[in-house]
């Protein structure tokens, strides 16, 4: 049993953390530890400038300010299962305005990496497939291939969306803006070698079974 | 003036008009663009969400190639501009990452290098060429244009491309005023267009774009001028719902800033790729009867 004053659990965690929660937390902290500025999330004063500045906060289930509060409270699993991290459009307005100089956008990237690494997503929520398909395209051609990316993304997630949005694609194609064939870079062999080598440096992600102790952890523990 | 040109994936697809107009404008102003040999994806934001070191490594491949070429890099896509600069900063700030990326690049016989500046064409045109020289080269009037100058996100933050107020930049307005156009007041000029959300959360992106075009219409702009292929595509797609019939507002052309400069410098609409826009362009650009460009 860990003490409730375990520094890994954060200064304000009111209850005990489950094993999966602790493990996720450790992985997350190790990841952001490498990003200068992101580790400053301990300095967050919960002013809410990030939420007020965020152009997409109207569509989020947790606002950026709440994400940090939830993390501190030891509810990282809820953060990973929120739509918020996938809704971020990387506009950096929050990062620029944050009075505590926290690189919030980079924090959300770290959450996304953790979610993809652990396979934890909101139910019926395929947005991470977009990032994965994008990476696949780049690995194959060295460049993004927009037609392939969009086709594959919709076929994997909601094929009906393809029918609903055929007008957009057709309009772009008619105006000469959608090349049907991909271009591959010449040094694709070398390029793949770079990727293979770089992959060995990314933190290994191991799967840990879920054991959620919601009634003693985070906001739940203080009667939210 | 010679630059290493990093077009990025979009400029070969949805942003083809940006590519054409960039080359035309730089050519007219006597600045040479040499495309970076065998460039690859910048490691855009979507890749960063998967594997961080890999994203940095593929981004660093471009920087390493550019270092060999020697000249400053010009990256017209805002996302490429940002990602390449972020890679430069992170490689400088994080010794461990530098080591890892260096090892990955060595697999392809490349040497890590991140000293070459990565710049945005707007800044290059304003500081290296200068408004005076652009105005001196003007041959056609763009007085009929009332552009809403839209900067979007990633050239103003977190790495400001132009030395300007990040909340209310005025660089494009100054340029287009000098060229005789009448830019309108456009308060949401640094608000996000939704970026890649157009694929993943179309309703959210459309809401953001609707607000932006709404502001521009309210201020009686007759076109929006952008600096990024993704902003242009997102805002331009809104025109598909604006036929001008049944009470819907009429189409609002969305231009690249290089297209508008190109028209002022006497490029034909075809040269700057106007036909790739989804909305027809009603404005004329008559030649200037007399002017400094004619001397």
């Amino acid at each position: 049993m860990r003490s409730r004053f375990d520094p890994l659990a954060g200064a304000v965690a009111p209850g005990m953390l489950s094993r999966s929660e602790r493990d996720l937390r450790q992985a997350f902290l190790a990841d952001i530890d490498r990003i200068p500025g992101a580790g400053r999330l301990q300095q967050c004063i919960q002013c809410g400038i990030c939420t007020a500045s965020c152009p997409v906060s109207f569509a989020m289930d947790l606002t950026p300010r709440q994400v940090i509060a939830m993390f501190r409270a030891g509810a990282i699993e809820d953060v990973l299962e929120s739509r918020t991290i996938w809704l971020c459009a990387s506009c950096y307005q929050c990062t620029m305005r944050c009075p505590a100089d926290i690189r919030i956008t980079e924090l959300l990237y770290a959450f996304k990496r953790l979610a993809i690494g652990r396979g934890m997503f909101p139910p019926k929520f395929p947005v991470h497939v977009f990032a994965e398909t994008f990476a696949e395209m780049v690995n194959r051609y060295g460049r993004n291939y927009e037609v392939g990316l969009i086709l594959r993304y919709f076929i994997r997630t909601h094929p009906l969306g393809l029918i609903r949005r055929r007008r957009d694609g057709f309009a772009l194609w008619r105006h000469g803006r959608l090349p049907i064939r991909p271009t591959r870079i010449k040094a694709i062999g070398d390029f793949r070698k770079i990727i293979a080598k770089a992959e060995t440096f990314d933190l290994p992600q191991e799967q840990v079974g879920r054991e959620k102790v919601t009634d003693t952890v985070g906001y739940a523990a203080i009667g939210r | 003036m010679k630059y290493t040109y990093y077009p990025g994936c979009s400029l070969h697809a949805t942003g083809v008009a940006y590519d054409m107009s960039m080359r035309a404008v730089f050519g007219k102003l006597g600045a040479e663009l040499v495309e970076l040999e065998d460039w690859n994806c910048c490691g855009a934001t979507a890749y960063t969400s998967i594997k961080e070191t890999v994203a940095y490594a593929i981004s660093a491949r471009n920087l390493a190639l550019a270092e060999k070429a020697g000249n400053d890099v010009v990256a017209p896509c805002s996302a490429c501009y940002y990602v390449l600069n972020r890679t430069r900063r992170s490689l400088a700030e994080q010794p461990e990452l530098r080591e890892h990326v260096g090892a990955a690049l060595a697999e392809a016989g490349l040497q890590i290098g991140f000293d070459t500046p990565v710049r945005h064409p707007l800044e290059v045109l304003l500081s290296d060429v200068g408004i005076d020289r652009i105005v001196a080269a003007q041959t056609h009037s763009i007085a009929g244009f009332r552009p809403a100058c839209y900067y979007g996100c990633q050239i103003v933050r977190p790495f400001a491309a132009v030395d300007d107020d990040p909340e209310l930049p005025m660089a494009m307005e100054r340029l287009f005023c000098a060229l005789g156009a009448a830019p309108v007041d456009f308060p949401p000029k640094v608000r996000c267009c939704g970026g890649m959300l157009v694929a993943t959360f179309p309703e959210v992106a459309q809401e953001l774009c609707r607000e932006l075009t709404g502001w521009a219409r309210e201020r009686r702009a007759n076109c929006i001028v952008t600096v990024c292929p993704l902003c242009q595509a997102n805002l331009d797609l809104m025109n598909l719902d604006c036929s001008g019939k049944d009470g819907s507002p009429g189409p609002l052309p969305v231009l690249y800033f290089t297209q508008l400069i190109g028209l002022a410098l006497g490029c034909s609409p075809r040269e700057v790729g106007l036909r790739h826009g989804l909305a027809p362009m009603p404005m004329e650009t008559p030649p200037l009867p007399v002017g400094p460009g004619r001397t």
Side-chain angles (χ1 to χ4, degrees):
Chain A
M1 275 295 240
R2 296 223 180 181
S3 132
R4 67 186 313 177
F5 299 110
D6 178 353
L8 270 184
V12 289
M16 308 297 290
L17 291 168
S18 68
R19 203 175 95 74
S20 57
E21 182 81 33
R22 216 162 48 217
D23 170 71
L24 285 170
R25 212 176 166 80
Q26 227 155 5
F28 179 74
L29 288 173
D31 190 0
I32 63 164
D33 205 30
R34 310 189 296 176
I35 309 165
R40 288 179 54 88
L41 93 159
Q42 306 293 353
Q43 320 290 323
C44 172
I45 54 171
Q46 290 286 300
C47 65
I49 297 255
C50 44
T51 300
S53 305
C54 179
V56 289
S57 57
F58 71 90
M60 288 175 169
D61 45 0
L62 292 176
T63 64
R65 184 187 64 79
Q66 281 173 323
V67 165
I68 295 186
M70 298 281 273
F71 172 75
R72 285 174 162 181
I76 194 168
E77 288 177 345
D78 294 314
V79 171
L80 295 182
E81 286 174 2
S82 73
R83 287 156 50 99
T84 299
I85 52 178
W86 300 104
L87 259 166
C88 171
S90 317
C91 83
Y92 294 90
Q93 192 65 270
C94 52
T95 304
M96 201 192 70
R97 289 186 181 162
C98 177
D101 280 337
I102 301 168
R103 293 189 194 165
I104 300 160
T105 317
E106 299 287 343
L107 275 182
L108 295 184
Y109 280 135
F111 277 123
K112 284 184 208 176
R113 285 195 291 269
L114 191 60
I116 287 184
R118 303 302 169 109
M120 292 175 71
F121 308 106
K124 292 188 189 162
F125 193 75
V127 169
H128 58 94
V129 176
F130 187 80
E132 284 163 349
T133 314
F134 184 90
E136 226 171 81
M137 287 292 125
V138 172
N139 293 350
R140 185 179 303 182
Y141 301 113
R143 292 179 188 169
N144 181 18
Y145 167 44
E146 288 169 344
V147 176
L149 170 67
I150 295 297
L151 283 181
R152 242 164 259 254
Y153 170 70
F154 277 110
I155 287 169
R156 281 184 193 168
T157 53
H158 29 98
L160 279 178
L162 210 53
I163 299 170
R164 232 183 301 139
R165 308 194 59 203
R166 65 187 186 279
R167 191 190 54 163
D168 294 6
F170 184 67
L172 288 175
W173 174 78
R174 206 160 47 89
H175 285 83
R177 293 169 64 171
L178 277 191
I180 303 301
R181 296 167 64 84
T183 40
R184 181 175 278 163
I185 63 170
K186 280 184 238 141
I188 188 75
D190 284 348
F191 182 73
R192 289 193 183 132
K193 272 189 227 160
I194 295 178
I195 292 182
K197 181 76 181 172
E199 258 174 354
T200 59
F201 297 116
D202 276 309
L203 293 177
Q205 301 279 358
E206 48 179 303
Q207 299 294 332
V208 170
R210 300 285 301 278
E211 61 171 300
K212 220 167 169 187
V213 198
T214 38
D215 44 348
T216 57
V217 168
Y219 280 175
I222 52 176
R224 186 181 66 156
Chain B
M1 281 180 292
K2 202 170 170 182
Y3 302 95
T4 298
Y5 177 43
Y6 178 84
C9 308
S10 295
L11 266 76
H12 282 198
T14 45
V16 59
Y18 200 0
D19 186 54
M20 297 166 76
S21 53
M22 266 279 288
R23 291 176 192 270
V25 166
F26 274 66
K28 289 257 179 197
L29 293 171
E32 197 186 337
L33 290 177
V34 184
E35 187 163 332
L36 181 62
E37 178 66 22
D38 208 32
W39 54 270
N40 59 266
C41 164
C42 67
T45 48
Y47 213 119
T48 314
S49 337
I50 307 266
K51 295 223 164 78
E52 201 190 10
T53 314
V54 180
Y56 278 126
I58 61 176
S59 190
R61 177 175 179 270
N62 294 313
L63 295 176
L65 293 174
E67 191 98 342
K68 273 204 263 178
N71 304 309
D72 286 8
V73 177
V74 178
C77 168
S78 297
C80 298
Y81 165 81
Y82 163 68
V83 171
L84 293 174
N85 270 309
R86 188 181 67 152
T87 305
R88 291 183 61 217
R89 182 181 68 182
S90 300
L91 289 177
E93 271 179 356
Q94 305 174 39
E96 195 194 10
L97 177 72
R98 195 161 57 227
E99 203 179 291
H100 292 167
V101 169
L105 289 181
E107 291 285 306
L110 288 169
Q111 202 156 21
I112 194 166
F114 47 90
D115 294 327
T116 314
V118 177
R119 303 168 65 188
H120 191 271
L122 177 62
E123 185 260 332
V124 171
L125 288 180
L126 289 177
S127 42
D128 287 12
V129 180
I131 291 185
D132 295 344
R133 275 186 53 202
I134 300 175
V135 172
Q138 183 176 16
T139 57
H140 284 65
S141 161
I142 52 167
F145 287 78
R146 289 192 308 276
C149 298
Y150 176 56
Y151 298 77
C153 311
Q154 295 178 337
I155 74 157
V156 285
R157 59 179 179 260
F159 303 109
V162 278
D163 187 18
D164 218 338
D165 182 353
E167 298 278 1
L168 205 69
M170 294 299 280
M172 271 198 276
E173 277 89 347
R174 274 197 291 274
L175 172 63
F176 290 126
C177 276
L179 288 172
V184 301
D185 180 29
F186 190 52
K189 56 174 80 166
V190 297
R191 268 184 77 104
C192 180
C193 70
M196 283 323 265
L197 294 184
V198 73
T200 50
F201 289 94
E203 323 76 36
V204 177
Q206 272 160 14
E207 180 63 33
L208 297 178
C209 290
R210 216 183 337 268
E211 273 178 33
L212 290 171
T213 48
W215 270 103
R217 284 203 172 87
E218 221 168 75
R219 302 291 165 126
R220 307 203 165 280
N222 58 10
C223 60
I224 300 180
V225 173
T226 65
V227 297
C228 168
L230 201 52
C231 301
Q232 201 276 346
N234 283 354
L235 292 173
D236 214 0
L237 282 173
M238 296 299 291
N239 281 322
L240 297 181
D241 291 319
C242 301
S243 54
K245 292 173 210 148
D246 308 326
S248 80
L252 185 61
V254 186
L255 297 176
Y256 294 106
F257 76 106
T258 43
Q259 287 182 302
L260 191 47
I261 298 175
L263 291 174
L265 297 183
C267 301
S268 69
R270 203 178 173 80
E271 271 178 280
V272 294
L274 278 192
R275 69 190 176 95
H276 295 292
L278 301 187
M281 174 63 67
M283 281 77 75
E284 296 276 306
T285 53
L288 288 173
V290 279
R294 290 277 146 134
T295 53

